[in-house]
Amino acid sequence: MPSDQALIRSTACTIVGQLNSSEVTPLDLLDALEKRIAEVDRKTNALPILCFDRARSHAKALMQKPPGERGLLAGLPIPIKDLTNVAGVRTTQGSPIYKDNIPANSDILVDLIESNGGVVFAKSNTPEFGAGANTFNEVFGPTRNPWDLSRSAAGSSGGAAVALATGMAWLAHGSDMGGSLRNPASFCGVVGLRPSIGRVPHTPAAKIDRTLGVQGPMARNVEDLALFLDAMSGEHPADPLSLPRLPTSFLSAARSGNKPKRIAYSADLGITPVDPEVAAITRKAASRFAEAGVLVEEAHPDLREAHECFHVLRAFDFAISKAALLRNKREYLKPEVIWNIEEGLKLSVEQLERAEAQRLAMTTRTLEFFKNYDLLLTPATIVPPFPIEHRYVGECAGKKFDNYVEWLGIVYAITLVCCPALSLPCGFTASGLPVGLQIVAPSRGEAALFAGAKVLEDVLGMRHATPIDPRGSAR
């Protein structure tokens, strides 16, 4: 059997192969992870809730099946973001309100992952209710960036990203409304995907047709990411928006070698400031598509309404999902969440009508844009990882932001136009901090997205940058 260190450094695809050939067992992997977490997580605080007893029971039951009949993940351990219910496991949503909550039932996505051979062993840290792109909360405290422990891991899937970057997971579950899969992937040097609406089923809550937030996969490389999306996707009767599984796997698409013919790069989408170093690193990475024979141009769709539109629709989402908490548990909510709910409760029907019309117009223009370009590339975040004590980014390149989410415009604009998008590691700042490149495809275009991202990943040669041991001292 490979050593624990060799297992930790292996790819998810390699591990699944070893599980299917009986070279390793799910129990071997859980033992290796438990040791790794004990070594590094006291520095990063990525996985505050562990459930190894449950995981080992599940692993033993899975091992009663013949190899090759244990699902796509074959017994691979998976952490679930602490916004999503896992039956019998503490699920806090990062809020003191739910600090002792133990749900009786899992989200349908967790059931799907487990039915496909995933073994849930932990819950990953998240900001309160996933609000804000910096992972801290009053239940567990902050999650630290392993590349520099004084820096933010971003959010809201910050714990998931750090677990991947430090070898505490091979794959990790996350969710994304305003970049919550893409931002932490960028800050931690891993890969995170926001899939198309309905690609990944989940249990509806508060509203059947909520489409700003989606569930999705995180990994250390594009092939592993595609494997996990294969295990997460498919139609489910409990989620009316869920899409049927495609006949060709996403992993096959990632390995196809299919190249885009023409791609566009934009440093700012015409709507946001961007740190000059981040712009330079991402522009250089995008230009390297040319080495694969791809035409690279600077262009972007017209997304001028993105800030107003997202502010209104996000506030409405907070109002319908959290207004009861504001009425009954206000003293337990952080200021940013209170502000978001109150903004939603003040909205008029006219404001909602205007925002929905803006979203439709931007989506229509984006579809037209993709008639000329196969992919759109931008920075995944507009700044490098910032000091962890900053609750959010208040300004960038001389521009002060009006609220705590406006700095995320480069990702939430893509949310609004219903496109799948991933963050791919593409370089480092002069101080050694990771920078991610956002790669966007038209709606339901994950296959082309994976294929193109894998082509660029090979050109950039950064696939083996993680896992790392946490660096620096917290201050």
Side-chain angles (χ1 to χ4, degrees):
M1 189 189 82
S3 67
D4 287 351
Q5 186 63 28
L7 287 174
I8 291 301
R9 300 202 65 83
S10 290
T11 68
C13 288
T14 298
I15 294 286
V16 167
Q18 293 173 331
L19 287 165
N20 283 325
S21 67
S22 299
E23 186 177 349
V24 298
T25 71
L27 294 175
D28 295 330
L29 302 179
L30 291 170
D31 289 346
L33 286 177
E34 194 164 28
K35 292 176 186 175
R36 182 65 177 172
I37 290 167
E39 290 170 359
V40 304
D41 203 33
R42 66 183 183 276
K43 299 177 183 177
T44 59
N45 190 35
L47 301 174
I49 300 169
L50 302 176
C51 51
F52 277 102
D53 288 345
R54 181 186 187 277
R56 288 190 171 95
S57 295
H58 184 196
K60 290 174 183 176
L62 198 62
M63 290 166 64
Q64 298 303 307
K65 299 179 181 180
E69 296 182 15
R70 299 172 184 171
L72 288 172
L73 299 177
L76 191 76
I78 303 289
I80 301 296
K81 186 174 177 178
D82 194 28
L83 298 181
T84 299
N85 285 349
V86 176
V89 178
R90 188 179 174 201
T91 301
T92 75
Q93 300 189 54
S95 171
I97 297 171
Y98 296 108
K99 64 183 177 65
D100 298 316
N101 173 53
I102 300 178
N105 299 303
S106 294
D107 188 281
I108 60 175
L109 173 57
V110 175
D111 288 337
L112 178 60
I113 290 170
E114 292 185 326
S115 71
N116 273 318
V119 176
V120 175
F121 72 95
K123 302 297 295 294
S124 60
N125 205 20
T126 181
E128 184 178 27
F129 303 120
N134 187 6
T135 298
F136 66 90
N137 59 62
E138 292 188 14
V139 183
F140 300 117
T143 294
R144 296 181 178 275
N145 192 313
W147 295 90
D148 180 340
L149 292 168
S150 72
R151 299 282 165 163
S152 169
S156 60
S157 305
V162 172
L164 290 165
T166 55
M168 294 188 287
W170 293 277
L171 301 174
H173 156 265
S175 59
D176 187 300
M177 176 185 283
S180 289
L181 280 156
R182 293 162 283 170
N183 290 310
S186 175
F187 272 23
C188 295
V190 298
V191 191
L193 170 75
R194 177 191 167 88
S196 298
I197 295 165
R199 183 66 70 202
V200 174
H202 68 284
T203 304
K207 187 171 181 280
I208 287 291
D209 59 343
R210 293 168 76 188
T211 60
L212 291 182
V214 299
Q215 310 286 306
M218 302 184 80
R220 294 185 206 143
N221 63 71
V222 173
E223 288 186 356
D224 287 357
L225 191 74
L227 169 70
F228 198 18
L229 185 60
D230 283 327
M232 298 174 86
S233 61
E235 194 170 20
H236 195 292
D239 181 357
L241 298 186
S242 59
L243 299 173
R245 186 185 301 274
L246 296 177
T248 303
S249 73
F250 294 116
L251 181 55
S252 295
R255 291 172 169 170
S256 68
N258 293 338
K259 296 184 293 187
K261 295 179 181 178
R262 188 184 189 197
I263 65 112
Y265 169 81
S266 174
D268 58 12
L269 292 180
I271 61 169
T272 182
V274 61
D275 179 90
E277 188 177 20
V278 168
I281 292 168
T282 55
R283 180 179 282 108
K284 180 179 180 181
S287 71
R288 295 194 64 188
F289 249 130
E291 295 175 27
V294 179
L295 182 63
V296 182
E297 299 177 353
E298 294 219 7
H300 58 78
D302 180 359
L303 301 172
R304 62 182 180 273
E305 304 100 324
H307 295 302
E308 178 187 356
C309 177
F310 188 74
H311 176 80
V312 170
L313 296 182
R314 185 176 189 273
F316 179 59
D317 188 86
F318 267 80
I320 61 173
S321 61
K322 304 289 187 296
L325 293 179
L326 184 68
R327 289 191 292 269
N328 302 318
K329 304 283 186 180
R330 183 188 181 105
E331 66 273 20
Y332 295 107
L333 299 174
K334 71 178 182 180
E336 293 88 350
V337 171
I338 292 172
W339 173 80
N340 256 128
I341 300 169
E342 290 181 338
E343 286 289 291
L345 293 173
K346 291 189 298 186
L347 292 172
S348 66
V349 173
E350 287 79 7
Q351 285 175 290
L352 289 170
E353 180 272 336
R354 176 178 169 85
E356 293 290 1
Q358 290 172 332
R359 187 179 188 187
L360 179 59
M362 286 188 291
T363 301
T364 300
R365 295 196 296 264
T366 300
L367 287 171
E368 285 296 312
F369 176 85
F370 278 119
K371 290 180 179 179
N372 295 315
Y373 297 98
D374 298 309
L375 299 171
L376 168 64
L377 279 59
T378 77
T381 51
I382 62 170
V383 294
F386 55 86
I388 196 166
E389 61 269 18
H390 296 180
R391 294 175 75 91
Y392 55 89
V393 175
E395 64 178 282
C396 174
K399 156 75 174 174
K400 292 188 176 181
F401 298 118
D402 292 336
N403 56 64
Y404 82 108
V405 294
E406 188 180 344
W407 73 279
L408 304 170
I410 206 157
V411 275
Y412 66 58
I414 302 305
T415 293
L416 290 170
V417 296
C418 311
C419 292
L422 63 77
S423 177
L424 181 75
C426 72
F428 295 91
T429 65
S431 59
L433 297 173
V435 174
L437 182 70
Q438 179 174 225
I439 307 178
V440 185
S443 180
R444 304 190 183 182
E446 284 91 346
L449 179 59
F450 280 123
K454 178 64 167 63
V455 168
L456 187 58
E457 181 182 58
D458 288 344
V459 170
L460 294 174
M462 295 187 58
R463 176 170 168 153
H464 302 293
T466 54
I468 63 166
D469 293 328
R471 302 174 182 179
S473 57
R475 57 182 184 271

